[in-house]
């Protein structure tokens, strides 16, 4: 599924899972809200989170030329994930300001001691309606990426493993 597949399409209250590409919602008729879920792995023991009324956001992770991991998302001062790695500046949304663009990319980790690798969120970027942005991770190492533009984020959710990285992300939004 790509942007061209949805140009002039009408979507009503749908959930899209694991889609990739750039989706410009100025070209897509959206009725109500849409949820895009980026479920990168089926690990057990994940802790879910879901936040509405977003007023502050910052990100934390590590990125190099070899690896990229999103360890945490802070929303409204609450930590979802692990306190490890570099922390972005916090964006406090001003009156009338909202998140208008989101990019998410996944990364396949190195094998753990059991010989298993996992898909995790490896790049995350938020841009606001006042042209402010934060990002963490190395998008050049991601294997799949989705960008949502011309949207108004109403909810951010996902799942993380306690004392580990963010594995799933869920963005709910309306068209602007």
């Amino acid at each position: 599924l790509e942007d061209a597949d949805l140009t002039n399409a009408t979507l009503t209250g749908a959930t899209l899972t694991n889609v990739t590409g750039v989706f410009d919602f100025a070209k897509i008729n959206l009725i109500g809200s849409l949820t895009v879920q980026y479920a990168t792995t089926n690990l057990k023991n994940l802790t879910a989170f879901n936040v509405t009324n977003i007023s502050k956001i910052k990100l934390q992770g590590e990125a190099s030329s070899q690896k990229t991991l999103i360890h945490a998302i802070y929303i409204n001062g609450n930590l979802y994930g692990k306190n490890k790695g570099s922390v972005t500046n916090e964006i406090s949304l001003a009156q009338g300001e909202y998140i208008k663009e989101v990019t998410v990319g996944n990364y396949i980790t190195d094998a753990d001691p059991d010989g298993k690798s996992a898909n995790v969120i490896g790049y995350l970027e938020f841009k606001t309606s006042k042209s402010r942005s934060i990002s963490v991770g190395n998008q050049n190492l991601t294997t799949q990426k989705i960008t949502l533009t011309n949207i108004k984020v109403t909810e951010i959710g996902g799942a993380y493993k306690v004392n580990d990285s963010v594995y799933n992300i869920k963005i709910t939004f309306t068209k602007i």
Side-chain angles (χ1 to χ4, degrees), residues 49-119:
F49 66 95
N50 201 49
V51 182
T52 57
N53 301 315
I54 300 156
S55 62
K56 297 187 294 187
I57 189 164
K58 67 180 173 179
L59 307 170
Q60 185 171 11
E62 60 182 293
S64 69
S65 61
Q66 305 293 315
K67 114 175 154 175
T68 181
L69 298 168
I70 306 306
H71 290 300
I73 301 172
Y74 295 80
I75 305 172
N76 299 342
N78 296 310
L79 168 67
Y80 302 98
K82 179 181 184 177
N83 183 4
K84 180 181 177 184
S86 300
V87 181
T88 65
N89 290 329
E90 181 173 74
I91 290 180
S92 292
L93 299 175
Q95 181 75 23
E97 185 177 19
Y98 54 89
I99 297 169
K100 71 167 189 157
E101 185 174 316
V102 178
T103 299
V104 180
N106 84 318
Y107 169 73
I108 300 173
T109 65
D110 296 330
D112 64 18
D114 296 329
K116 298 177 183 174
S117 62
N119 289 330

Side-chain angles (χ1 to χ4, degrees), residues 15 35-38 49-50 155-159 168-172:
T15 298
T35 299
V36 172
Q37 182 167 297
Y38 211 72
F49 66 95
N50 201 49
E155 194 172 311
I156 299 174
N168 299 326
I169 193 81
K170 182 179 82 169
I171 307 294
T172 301

Side-chain angles (χ1 to χ4, degrees), residues 137-173:
N138 181 345
Q139 64 179 320
N140 295 327
L141 294 179
T142 59
T143 56
Q144 295 178 322
K145 189 168 58 172
I146 182 170
T147 299
L148 307 167
T149 64
N150 292 306
I151 60 171
K152 182 176 182 179
V153 172
T154 58
E155 194 172 311
I156 299 174
Y160 61 94
K161 202 167 190 181
V162 175
N163 293 317
D164 202 345
S165 299
V166 176
Y167 286 85
N168 299 326
I169 193 81
K170 182 179 82 169
I171 307 294
T172 301
F173 58 89

